[in-house]
Structure formats: C-alpha cells, structure tokens
Amino acid sequence: MSNAVATDVQVAPNMNGSPRNASEAVAKSLKRRYAAEKRFRAYGLVAIIFAALCLAILLVTIVGKGYSAFTQTMIRLDITLYPQDIDPDGTRDPDVLSTANYQKLVKQAVQDLFPEVTNRRERRHLQEIISPGATYHIRDAVLEDTSLIGQRLVIEVPVSDDLDQFNKGFISGDVPEVERRVSDKQIAWFNRLKDRGVIISTFNTTLFTAGDSREPELAGIWGAVVGSFFTMAVTLLLSFPLAVGAAVYLEEFAPKNRWTDLIEVNINNLAAVPSIVFGLLGLAVFINFFGLPRSAPVVGGMVLALMTLPTIIIAARAALKAVPPSIREGAFGIGASPIQVVTHHVLPLAMPGILTGTIIGMAQALGETAPLLMIGMVAFIVDIPGGPLDPSTVLPVQIYLWSDAPERAFEERASAAIMVLLGFLIMMNAIAVVLRKRFERRW
Amino acid sequence: MADSTPQAMPQEAAPISEPPPAAEPLKTSTDSGNGAVKFASRKVCVYYGEKQALFDVDLDVLKNKVTALIGPSGCGKSTYLRCLNRMNDTIPICRVTGEISLDGVDIHSKAVDVVHLRARVGMVFQKPNPFPKSIYDNIAYGPRIHGIASSKGELDDIVQSSLEKAGLLKEVHDRLQEPGTGLSGGQQQRLCIARAVAVEPEVILMDEPCSALDPIATARIEELIDELRENYTIVIVTHSMQQAARVSQRTGFFHLGELVEFGETEQIFTNPQDERTQGYITGRFG
Ligand SMILES: Nc1ncnc2c1ncn2[C@@H]1O[C@H](COP(=O)(O)OP(=O)(O)O)[C@@H](O)[C@H]1O
Ligand SMILES: [Mg+2]
C-alpha cells in the first residue's frame, strides 16, 4: 500500500515535468516491456518444444513397434502335389480343388524337413512352426494353375506368428522356456532351417490384402480399410449436402430471430456432444427403430454423419461469412435473385473453406471408434465387405481389436494399422491445407 | 418492403380526388423543359429497426440528367439511393415507407418485380466490387442471368460495347479472360460500371463511386458520367461538393435524414435557400 502511494507521488511530478523525464520513464519501462516479451517468447518456445517432443515420442513408439509388421517371415517349402490327394478323379473341378486336403500335403512337407523327428508329440510340435494359413497358399496356387497337380511345388508360406516374432527379435531365447511362446526345440529347428537358407523375410502383402483373422500372420487391414471407405462415403454423402444446406440457409436466408439463435446455440452444443452418445442414438433409432442392419457401414456412416454435421456447418458458416458483402451487393445490384447470388457467387467463393471444414470433419470421423462400438461395428469380420450393407469394421476399431489381442504379433500389426490410419489422416489434412492456401482470399 | 405497399397503395389511388400541391408536381411526365421525371419519391421514410434514417423525402429524378446527392456522412444519402433499386430489401431490419415510382409505376407495387427493377436500375458501389471472375464473365454475368443475349456472339458484342461505354475497352481488350480483380482501382470501378451498363438499365445509381480512387481515376469516371448521361439517368452520391458541381445538373442536400434542399445544381451552389445548405457548401460543417 505505502509502496504504491510512494511511486504515485514519485511518478506524478515526472509526468508534469520536462519531456526528458518522460523519455526516461519510457526508457525505464522499455526494459520491463522487453523482458516481458522475452519471457512470453520463452514460454511459447517451451510449449512448442514440449508438444513436438510428445509428438516425436508418439511417432517413434508407433513406428518402432509397427515397422516390423511390414515384413513377414516365410519358409520355403518343397511340396509334392500328389494327384490322389488333391483331385483323385482328375476332374479339375474347382469345387473339388478348393476343398481338397492340402493340410495333409503341408504336414508331409514339414515332416520331410526333419525326417529324424518320429515321436508323435514332437511331430505335432514340429507342425506348429508353420502357419495354419499355409494350406490356403497352396490351395490358391493350385486353383490358379491346375497343371501344378502331380508336380513338385516350391512355395513360400508364412511361419507361425510366434516364430515370426522370434525371428524379428521380439521373443528372446534367453528367457526361461516356460516364459516364452516358442520352445527350445522349435528354436533349434528354426535355426537349422535358417542355416539351410529356407527361411526368408518378405514384404507382408497379407497385411494390406486380407481381412481380419484369428491368426496374426493371416490378418490384414484391407477389410477395415474397405469398411472405413464405405462408412466415410455414407458419412460424406449425408453430411456434406445437409450441412451446406443448413449453413447456407442459416447464413443467407434465415431471419435473425430467437429461433435461429436457438438453433445456432444447439448446433454449437452438438459439436461438443461426446461421440458415444451419437452411437447410442444410432443404436436406438437406426437399428432398433428403423431396423437397419447391425455392424453395417450404412449405420456407421449415418452415426458419423450426425457427428460431423456440426463441424461442417460451423466451418461452412464461417466460410460463408467470410465472403465479402460487397460481392453479394454487386450481384443483387444487377438483378440476381437471392438463390442466384448464393449459387453463383457466395457458395463458390466459400467452397474452399467449406471443403476444408468437411475434410477436417471427415478426418475426425475416420478416426472415430466409440460410436461404432455401440452399433456393432466391433464384430470379428473376416470377409472383405462388398458394400455398405455388409457387416464390416473400420480402421480405428480394427486397431482397437488388435491392440486388445493377446498375441504379440497383433500388437505389431495394430501399430502398423495406426501408421496407415495416420497416413490417411495426414493426407486429408494436407489436402485441407493445400485447399486453404490455394484459394486464400481471391477478392 | 412489405409494410410500405399498403401505405403506398391508397396514395396511388389518391391523386384524382386530391390534387397534388403545386410546389411538388406528382408524377408529371414533363417538368417545363427540364425533361421527363424518371423517379418520383414522395414522403419516403426509412427505418433501421427503431431508428429512423430518412424523414419524408420528396425528390424527382429527371431523365437523362445527373442528380447528385450531397451531405455530411451519415445523413442518409446511401440509404435514399438504395431505396431506388430496393437494395434495402436485402437488409432485414430495414423498413421503407412512402411512395417511390419509376416512370409513374410504384416500385413497391405487385406489378414490379424486384429482380426486374434492379435490371432496370443498375448500381455502382463505393468500393469497386468486381466478381472474382474474368473481366469477360464480370460483364457477361448480368446478360446471362437475364437471358439478354441469345448467342455467344451476341454476348461478345454486349461485353465489347459495355466496355466501350465504360471507357475500358482500350485498356483491357486483349485480356478479357484475366481476373477483374487484377485491374487497378479505377479500372475496377469502370468495370463495375460496364457490368451495370451491360444489362441495359435505364438508371444507374452510383454511391460515392470515386471515394476509393485517386484524382486521375476520379477524373476519368467523371468524364464517363458525363458521357453516360446521354443514354442513362444517373443518380450519384458524393461527399465531394466539387464533384457534384462538376458532374450534376440537379443537386439534393441531405442533412440528418432530411432532404433540406433540392434544385438546379447551379442554384444550390450559388444561391442556396436554406442556411444549412449554405453552411455546408461554404464549409462551415460536414
Ligand atoms: N445497415 C444498417 N443498419 C443500421 N443502420 C444503418 C444501416 N445503414 C445505414 N444506417 C444508418 O442510417 C443512417 C444513414 O446512413 P447512410 O445512408 O449510409 O449515410 P450516408 O450514405 O449519407 O453517409 C446512419 O445513421 C447509419 O448509421
Ligand atoms: Mg454512404
């Protein structure tokens, strides 16, 4: 208190005094001002560094965990395709070919790798080094080229996911045998196979072409990608026209009164509603009331459209507001009707902004999980969906499912799927940025 | 606006039983050698919400004359101008009462469509506002939406002649496809005039068309206004008294929402009747 009074008394004569005193005061306060500015900059810098660090840690962990999923350990098998096992009658009927007992052939081929293993239990143990999916590889090869029947086929098939993880170094041979998922024997066999040169590492195409599977080495994200695509398509088709229509009406035509104010407040609130609530709504209305199918991209798309609507409406209204009134006046002035003013001038000028908002809304929807869990898009689905009515899942839900799975190999694939999802999101945001830059202020 | 129609209707029926005051001839087609009356407004009041911006304005715009509206800023010049092509309709809170007739027809009556009215009464704004499109499309836009041109060739002709009339053709004839927003301020304003001219209006309203321009561009526009007078009726709002004196034949002085004085430009500037006018033109206020 007394201090403040003292300064007041000191300052007052200065103010009334000569200009030299005033400039002294300015000089003094300058120092303080610069110090404040420096401090502020330092805070900003620290905040940015912290954010960048977090991002870096996130990316490094994901990439570090996930990059190995892009390769798959394969074994080169030497298989004799006995005609009596595949096509005893020689009909070459695809039905017969696709249901033949390839497992027997694979078993034989694996057995032949180590003829010295004779014990029944050990034999079974030996079979476990091969992925159960090996039979599909052979079936597909035969279906593709029937002339292979009766020949010897050298084919690369995936090893079991545990050996794959062992090969990638995620399972150490140093820990006690009971604590790891591969046995000493398997490791010994695997090392001998490696010495023989039949173990190879290839690009994991399965990851990008297959649907989900119980076996990690057979599981892929393609089913989820396609499901995401259908879901996004439905979301876009529903939310874009609805949101643009609503925004144009509210911004250009609606009278400004208490009702439109109320609607505006509600739209803004809607943007803040937890997404799971939209999932509950979708479950109650779309599935239970309208009887739409469960786990289907249509319903997922509708739910996400509800969620995206406010985002696009708000962005679109901002974009429409940013169109200078002089453009509207100019068009009105030569006799354009209100709808012509909107469609010929205002909307095209606002479109980049609207599209930016739409892309950001879609990116949000693409990464959304919670509401889709409510409507059953979390089911285990092996088949690639053929349309928006087929049961399917989406990328983020697939990630959720895989990161929940016990196998180490699924964890790696979950990280890989996150990388793919991030890739899509970065791409979408990049497009939004380019749009914004490209069409910035043309008037 | 909606409110104005019922009030205007009885007035339209009135003149027969109730002869207009001699000082204010209503809707006479000729005015003793001064030419035909294009716009006649009687008792025009404008309200923005509760606030009244114009009070009982009576004003006749004569055909093929330049009418200048002067007055201190905020006095309602733009507001009055925007009544003439019903641009005030686009402002939700704005309400217009009184009667405004174009060629003797009430512009608020059902017989007049606002789109048609604006095609007949073009407008040029304070700030040049070309569309962010090519020069060609800027001018072709009006004819296109009104279906004035029946072929591409005809449209080309309209664009050429409009640019010619706006005195811009020489400068831009070889770059019609370039954006109109890339022109200089003065060129942009002439482009806007060309855009208005392209729909063949009868009247062109100009709201301080030179206020954003340098003196040379201003001189060009003033010359242009003088040329356009031959074929068009022009109403121009200006805050520059010199400009009003240079380009107009008739001048109205607005003050605080009232039309204080209206008459021949020469008379207003040499022998103003109202002391407020006198004060304004001698620079005592405004
Ligand atoms: N859109 C509007 N909303 C509310 N008030 C307005 C609007 N436009 C003009 N006004 C008011 O009407 C009065 C006259 O304005 P205006 O006609 O633009 O004056 P001038 O063109 O003579 O400078 C001013 O007091 C202004 O505040
Ligand atoms: Mg004005």
Side-chain angles (χ1 to χ4, degrees):
Chain A
M1 246 350 233
S2 62
N3 223 341
V5 172
T7 26
D8 263 11
V9 172
Q10 254 182 353
V11 166
N14 273 356
M15 299 305 268
N16 302 339
S18 66
R20 219 177 64 86
N21 280 344
S23 97
E24 249 170 40
V26 169
K28 237 197 254 161
S29 76
L30 265 186
K31 218 173 177 181
R32 232 178 336 108
R33 280 188 258 173
Y34 283 135
E37 189 187 321
K38 254 195 202 138
R39 235 177 303 131
F40 184 76
R41 279 195 198 183
Y43 292 150
L45 207 62
V46 167
I48 287 176
I49 289 173
F50 181 72
L53 215 65
C54 289
L55 186 68
I57 290 171
L58 180 82
L59 286 180
V60 166
T61 7
I62 290 172
V63 173
K65 264 188 183 171
Y67 80 96
S68 53
F70 295 115
T71 59
Q72 168 69 41
T73 313
M74 308 285 267
I75 180 168
R76 198 174 293 132
L77 273 190
D78 204 335
I79 290 186
T80 312
L81 301 169
Y82 299 109
Q84 64 268 35
D85 286 326
I86 298 170
D87 190 14
D89 304 331
T91 56
R92 299 290 188 264
D93 178 4
D95 279 349
V96 175
L97 293 182
S98 56
T99 53
N101 188 0
Y102 296 101
Q103 184 143 27
K104 191 175 157 199
L105 300 175
V106 175
K107 270 192 174 154
Q108 190 55 52
V110 174
Q111 185 62 52
D112 291 346
L113 290 171
F114 297 102
E116 70 275 14
V117 178
T118 46
N119 177 313
R120 264 180 62 101
R121 265 188 62 192
E122 279 196 7
R123 276 183 162 194
R124 213 164 50 233
H125 200 50
L126 174 61
Q127 291 299 332
E128 282 169 11
I129 66 169
I130 296 284
S131 159
T135 53
Y136 307 131
H137 279 75
I138 297 163
R139 183 195 62 193
D140 292 347
V142 169
L143 282 172
E144 199 167 289
D145 182 8
T146 50
S147 69
L148 288 173
I149 296 170
Q151 312 247 340
R152 270 185 59 208
L153 170 66
V154 177
I155 189 169
E156 285 156 14
V157 296
V159 301
S160 80
D161 58 307
D162 292 329
L163 272 180
D164 174 56
Q165 294 300 297
F166 171 77
N167 189 36
K168 287 170 179 168
F170 296 123
I171 295 177
S172 163
D174 299 336
V175 293
E177 191 177 8
V178 287
E179 283 174 27
R180 57 177 136 84
R181 294 175 58 97
V182 285
S183 66
D184 287 342
K185 280 217 180 79
Q186 283 177 328
I187 291 176
W189 286 324
F190 185 75
N191 285 336
R192 277 172 61 196
L193 288 173
K194 236 179 163 173
D195 292 341
R196 288 190 213 161
V198 293
I199 300 290
I200 42 177
S201 200
T202 61
F203 180 71
N204 189 358
T205 42
T206 311
L207 184 64
F208 296 98
T209 54
D212 201 3
S213 168
R214 294 282 180 223
E215 305 296 334
E217 69 275 16
L218 303 181
I221 57 171
W222 186 240
V225 168
V226 173
S228 273
F229 171 78
F230 284 132
T231 309
M232 287 300 105
V234 173
T235 304
L236 184 64
L237 281 176
L238 282 178
S239 62
F240 183 73
L242 272 178
V244 172
V248 166
Y249 176 74
L250 285 174
E251 208 50 55
E252 305 288 327
F253 296 105
K256 302 277 172 282
N257 58 28
R258 214 178 315 149
W259 292 112
T260 43
D261 282 351
L262 192 72
I263 290 173
E264 177 154 10
V265 168
N266 274 309
I267 288 172
N268 291 340
N269 281 340
L270 215 55
V273 169
S275 58
I276 194 145
V277 175
F278 289 106
L280 285 168
L281 181 86
L283 177 65
V285 177
F286 301 140
I287 295 184
N288 291 345
F289 187 74
F290 287 110
L292 289 169
R294 255 169 201 284
S295 313
V298 214
V299 180
M302 285 160 84
V303 167
L304 292 180
L306 286 180
M307 207 195 75
T308 321
L309 264 177
T311 310
I312 307 183
I313 292 178
I314 291 168
R317 290 189 65 178
L320 291 169
K321 257 201 195 92
V323 175
S326 64
I327 299 288
R328 293 183 184 84
E329 282 191 327
F332 274 127
I334 44 178
S337 65
I339 195 76
Q340 283 173 327
V341 173
V342 169
T343 54
H344 295 168
H345 299 280
V346 180
L347 256 189
L349 289 174
M351 211 28 101
I354 296 177
L355 288 182
T356 306
T358 306
I359 291 171
I360 288 168
M362 294 303 287
Q364 263 175 18
L366 180 60
E368 196 55 65
T369 324
L372 302 180
L373 303 184
M374 300 309 302
I375 56 152
M377 288 191 85
V378 70
F380 172 73
I381 288 143
V382 176
D383 294 328
I384 311 290
L389 287 168
D390 290 351
S392 61
T393 187
V394 293
L395 262 179
V397 175
Q398 188 68 76
I399 291 165
Y400 164 76
L401 284 170
W402 281 353
S403 51
D404 215 26
E407 288 91 345
R408 172 64 182 72
F410 270 131
E411 201 179 315
E412 161 189 283
R413 280 166 174 76
S415 292
I418 291 173
M419 285 159 73
V420 172
L421 181 59
L422 278 181
F424 278 124
L425 294 178
I426 289 170
M427 219 164 63
M428 289 168 84
N429 283 315
I431 293 172
V433 169
V434 168
L435 269 178
R436 209 160 27 206
K437 280 266 167 309
R438 193 73 186 275
F439 295 96
E440 228 166 28
R441 298 219 142 258
R442 290 189 300 174
W443 45 84
Chain B
M1 301 235 75
D3 318 51
S4 62
T5 318
Q7 270 182 290
M9 288 305 257
Q11 273 199 352
E12 222 188 351
I16 307 152
S17 56
E18 188 188 330
E24 298 173 342
L26 185 67
K27 281 186 276 169
T28 41
S29 55
T30 50
D31 189 331
S32 55
N34 274 335
V37 174
K38 197 72 192 168
F39 268 116
S41 41
R42 292 293 173 271
K43 292 203 179 315
V44 172
C45 298
V46 179
Y47 305 82
Y48 290 108
E50 293 299 304
K51 189 171 155 266
Q52 187 166 0
L54 277 187
F55 300 84
D56 294 328
V57 174
D58 294 354
L59 194 153
D60 286 341
V61 173
L62 300 187
K63 201 173 171 195
N64 292 41
K65 293 267 150 73
V66 178
T67 304
L69 308 178
I70 60 169
S73 104
C75 65
K77 308 178 296 286
S78 301
T79 300
Y80 176 73
L81 196 70
R82 293 163 59 91
C83 289
L84 299 181
N85 64 346
R86 288 177 58 187
M87 272 305 264
N88 284 328
D89 288 16
T90 60
I91 302 172
I93 57 163
C94 186
R95 199 159 54 86
V96 181
T97 64
E99 187 189 350
I100 302 169
S101 57
L102 173 60
D103 288 337
V105 180
D106 184 356
I107 63 167
H108 290 108
S109 72
K110 287 210 175 65
V112 176
D113 185 85
V114 66
V115 165
H116 189 211
L117 174 70
R118 289 186 193 141
R120 290 175 65 192
V121 183
M123 190 158 193
V124 176
F125 298 85
Q126 187 165 357
K127 199 177 138 258
N129 60 348
F131 301 133
K133 298 173 188 269
S134 70
I135 294 170
Y136 184 97
D137 286 337
N138 258 284
I139 299 164
Y141 181 69
R144 274 195 190 123
I145 59 170
H146 295 302
I148 291 172
S150 56
S151 67
K152 176 87 177 69
E154 207 175 322
L155 194 60
D156 288 348
D157 290 345
I158 292 176
V159 171
Q160 296 277 333
S161 69
S162 304
L163 281 172
E164 176 73 58
K165 282 181 207 160
L168 195 60
L169 187 60
K170 251 192 246 138
E171 288 151 74
V172 302
H173 67 95
D174 53 350
R175 45 173 174 153
L176 290 181
Q177 294 311 322
E178 282 174 33
T181 42
L183 297 173
S184 75
Q187 289 173 326
Q188 285 190 21
Q189 197 61 297
R190 277 180 280 146
L191 177 62
C192 292
I193 293 174
R195 182 175 71 184
V197 164
V199 290
E200 293 162 31
E202 298 154 35
V203 185
I204 301 176
L205 310 176
M206 299 184 177
D207 191 353
E208 304 194 24
C210 303
S211 66
L213 305 183
D214 61 74
I216 294 171
T218 301
R220 286 286 283 117
I221 303 265
E222 285 178 8
E223 265 172 50
L224 182 59
I225 291 170
D226 213 45
E227 289 164 21
L228 289 172
R229 179 161 68 92
E230 231 176 273
N231 299 309
Y232 305 93
T233 304
I234 292 171
V235 185
I236 177 171
V237 168
T238 172
H239 59 247
S240 149
M241 282 172 291
Q242 291 86 341
Q243 185 168 63
R246 280 194 299 263
V247 301
S248 74
Q249 286 76 52
R250 315 238 303 162
T251 297
F253 171 63
F254 281 80
H255 184 58
L256 299 175
E258 273 180 67
L259 178 60
V260 172
E261 194 165 349
F262 181 52
E264 297 296 319
T265 300
E266 222 181 279
Q267 176 255 314
I268 294 279
F269 279 97
T270 54
N271 185 21
Q273 302 300 304
D274 194 287
E275 60 181 29
R276 287 171 291 179
T277 319
Q278 208 165 11
Y280 183 70
I281 59 173
T282 53
R284 254 184 282 139
F285 69 89

